[in-house]
């Protein structure tokens, strides 16, 4: 039942915030997000490391005219594969809300309610055990982020969010067609088919059917992550969206795509992966290199971080398609690590914008002279992003690259360029913004205090926790990953 509370609690909290007053909306949203984090903490620390689903719920959803059952159920639970995305969603959401405490947004009740509604939808995606329930939450997560970007975004927000909406709807329609097809292929039980994801695993589809189902799912997830060449909506959407929405997009929402690759594509269409997985792997590696090269050339901090995220998610997808235990373990822990790092980086870019009025690197410099806290926090999160040993990014990237290298040496070498390029663009961003002579805009830069400092401090704790003791996470995911491997031919 805890899984059900993970979905219902933020919905209740969001409703309460929506009908609260502007003066207390921010605090009420933070209290609601912290309450959700407490539930996530209970799940994490009581989770038993095995290959079974835990904390589940299962209810009839809607019935057929003949026997009252359609085989479509409200069914959810948590296993080792869904645990870390759930932890990420529970951890990052209150930090995103806390990061806004020194900012003022118009219509705050709607703004913070949408964040909590999105948290509920994201939780639903990660815990769903029914294919159509997964699809429902997959689409439901799009609605809050669309309004956050369209109502509180930059000057070009309408055009940018429309492009984002069209891309995601197109991909999602393909996924819906595939889900309906899979549902119709399950055997009739008491006059009804089944939409249970576990029953999709048991299907024996032809190679041709698996091929088109693979592409239907892959395009839907490739748009969400995004992967090359389905990425063109991403940089503008990240830049134009208000920073809390960008954090939600990059920190959590793109993980729905990686999670979908692991939960649906690999075990449902293994023969489709055998046929087309190498193509998907090549697209992922192209994205790794292309995103990194474009990031090196960026002058806007937020756009640079957006392209770096695009490059990093390509490595996660490549690790998944390596179809190895190390690749899958790396993808799972890197989802958590990347979420922590990218939220921190976007928040730092926003702090610099608030204090200087710009994110352009050629107009910054010398910030470190007056900001010992920001200097340290920025460097820690940056080193996690470039995968320095003993930080969170190293664990995931080591496992991912090991899996990809085991799949193909040459592809592994190409994917490994992400470490070199990542160090180039991240250290260049740090140097241009923090070192050198103070620019006119940075001469009076004020160091972090209060809520700003707390957000980055918590993120830095996770950078070191995951880097120094990754077994506390990997031991929880390993049994479920090993169980999943039996479906991968």
């Amino acid at each position: 039942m805890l899984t059900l509370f993970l979905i219902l609690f933020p919905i209740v909290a969001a409703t309460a915030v929506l009908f609260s007053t502007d003066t207390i909306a921010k605090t009420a949203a933070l209290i609601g997000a912290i309450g959700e984090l407490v539930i996530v903490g209970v799940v994490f620390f009581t989770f038993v490391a095995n290959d079974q689903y835990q904390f589940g719920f299962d209810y009839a959803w809607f019935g057929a005219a003949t026997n009252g059952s359609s085989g479509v159920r409200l069914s959810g639970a948590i296993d080792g594969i869904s645990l870390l995305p759930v932890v990420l969603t529970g951890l990052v959401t209150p930090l995103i809300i806390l990061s806004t405490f020194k900012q003022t947004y118009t219509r705050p009740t709607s703004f913070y309610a949408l964040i909590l509604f999105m948290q509920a939808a994201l939780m639903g995606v990660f815990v769903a055990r029914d294919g159509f329930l997964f699809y429902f939450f997959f689409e439901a997560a799009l609605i809050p982020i669309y309004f956050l970007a369209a109502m509180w975004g930059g000057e070009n927000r309408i055009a940018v969010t429309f492009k984002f909406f069209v891309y995601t709807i197109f991909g999602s329609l393909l996924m819906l067609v595939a889900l309906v097809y899979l549902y119709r292929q399950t055997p009739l039980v008491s006059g009804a088919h089944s939409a249970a994801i576990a029953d999709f695993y048991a299907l024996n589809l032809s190679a041709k059917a698996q091929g088109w189902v693979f592409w239907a799912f892959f395009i839907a997830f490739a748009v969400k992550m995004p992967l090359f060449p389905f990425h063109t909506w991403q940089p503008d959407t990240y830049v134009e969206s208000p920073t809390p929405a960008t954090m939600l997009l990059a920190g959590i929402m793109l993980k729905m795509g990686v999670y979908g690759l692991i939960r649906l594509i690999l075990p449902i269409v293994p023969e489709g992966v055998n046929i087309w997985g190498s193509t998907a792997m090549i697209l992922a590696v192209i994205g790794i290199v292309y995103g990194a090269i474009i990031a090196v050339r960026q002058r806007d901090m937020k756009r640079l971080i957006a392209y770096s995220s695009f490059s990093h998610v390509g490595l996660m997808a490549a690790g998944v398609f390596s179809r190895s235990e190390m690749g899958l373990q790396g993808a799972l822990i890197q989802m958590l690590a990347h979420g922590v790092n990218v939220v921190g980086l976007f928040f730092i870019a926003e702090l610099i914008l608030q204090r200087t009025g710009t994110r352009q690197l050629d107009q910054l410099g010398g910030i470190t002279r007056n900001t010992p806290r920001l200097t340290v926090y920025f460097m820690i999160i940056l080193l996690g992003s470039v995968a320095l040993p003993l930080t969170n990014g190293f664990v995931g990237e080591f496992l991912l690259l090991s899996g990809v290298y085991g799949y193909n040496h040459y592809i592994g070498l190409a994917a490994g360029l992400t470490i070199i390029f990542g160090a180039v663009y991240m250290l260049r961003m740090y140097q241009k913004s923090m070192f050198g002579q103070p620019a006119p805009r940075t001469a009076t830069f004020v160091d972090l205090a209060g809520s700003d400092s707390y957000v980055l401090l918590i993120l830095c704790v996770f950078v070191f926790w995951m880097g120094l003791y990754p077994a506390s996470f990997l031991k929880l995911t390993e049994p479920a990953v090993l169980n999943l491997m039996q479906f991968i031919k």
Side-chain angles (χ1 to χ4, degrees), residues 19-295:
F19 290 100
S20 68
T21 63
D22 291 352
T23 55
I24 68 169
K26 189 180 300 184
T27 303
L30 180 61
I31 293 171
I34 292 174
E36 178 79 344
L37 179 59
V38 170
I39 300 174
V40 170
V42 172
V43 168
F44 180 77
F45 288 108
T46 60
F47 185 84
V48 179
N50 58 39
D51 61 359
Q52 302 299 309
Y53 283 98
Q54 302 171 43
F55 315 111
F57 65 91
D58 184 60
Y59 303 100
W61 192 358
F62 54 86
T66 54
N67 63 357
S69 174
S70 64
V72 180
R73 303 186 64 81
L74 287 171
S75 179
I78 296 173
D79 67 348
I81 292 172
S82 56
L83 178 64
L84 295 192
V86 166
V87 170
L88 173 65
T89 307
L91 170 69
V92 166
T93 304
L95 295 180
I96 291 173
I97 294 172
L98 183 61
S99 73
T100 68
F101 263 49
K102 295 185 178 180
Q103 303 172 49
T104 301
Y105 290 96
T106 59
R107 302 181 297 279
T109 55
S110 300
F111 182 84
Y112 290 104
L114 286 170
I115 292 177
L116 291 173
F117 278 128
M118 185 171 179
Q119 183 186 38
L122 291 165
M123 286 293 187
V125 169
F126 297 135
V127 305
R129 295 184 63 190
D130 181 278
F132 291 109
L133 186 63
F134 176 91
Y135 177 81
F136 171 80
F137 284 119
F138 195 87
E139 289 302 286
L142 173 63
I143 299 171
I145 200 66
Y146 174 82
F147 284 108
L148 285 169
M151 295 174 66
W152 289 274
E155 293 181 1
N156 299 321
R157 62 187 184 276
I158 301 301
V160 167
T161 50
F162 180 75
K163 182 178 181 180
F164 167 58
F165 186 81
V166 170
Y167 263 77
T168 52
I169 286 295
F170 171 73
S172 298
L173 288 175
L174 292 177
M175 180 170 66
L176 178 60
V177 171
L179 287 171
V180 171
Y181 173 79
L182 293 172
Y183 170 75
R184 299 292 298 176
Q185 299 308 303
T186 58
L188 288 171
V189 177
S190 299
H193 295 282
S194 172
I197 294 175
D199 290 336
F200 292 166
Y201 292 178
L203 292 174
N204 187 22
L205 303 176
S206 67
K208 181 179 179 180
Q210 290 198 34
W212 81 259
V213 171
F214 171 89
W215 280 108
F217 278 136
F218 177 75
I219 292 173
F221 299 140
V223 168
K224 269 292 194 295
M225 289 187 272
L227 292 181
F228 179 90
F230 307 99
H231 68 285
T232 57
W233 63 267
Q234 186 235 30
D236 289 338
T237 303
Y238 280 21
V239 171
E240 291 295 328
S241 298
T243 297
T246 304
M247 293 179 188
L248 287 167
L249 277 166
I252 312 174
M253 190 171 179
L254 71 79
K255 310 308 185 300
M256 295 196 307
V258 182
Y259 178 79
L261 297 180
I262 299 172
R263 179 66 75 191
L264 298 182
I265 289 184
L266 291 188
I268 293 176
V269 288
E271 187 61 29
V273 176
N274 283 337
I275 298 170
W276 295 108
S278 58
T279 303
M281 173 78 78
I282 291 170
L283 292 176
V285 174
I286 290 173
I288 292 171
V289 179
Y290 173 76
I293 292 174
I294 299 299

Side-chain angles (χ1 to χ4, degrees), residues 411-445:
I411 293 178
L413 290 173
L417 293 174
T418 184
I419 296 178
I420 299 172
F421 284 124
V424 171
Y425 58 69
M426 283 296 175
L427 292 175
R428 173 179 165 275
M429 178 176 67
Y430 191 85
Q431 179 191 31
K432 291 282 188 180
S433 61
M434 303 299 290
F435 294 148
Q437 293 297 319
R441 293 174 178 270
T442 63
T444 58
F445 200 101

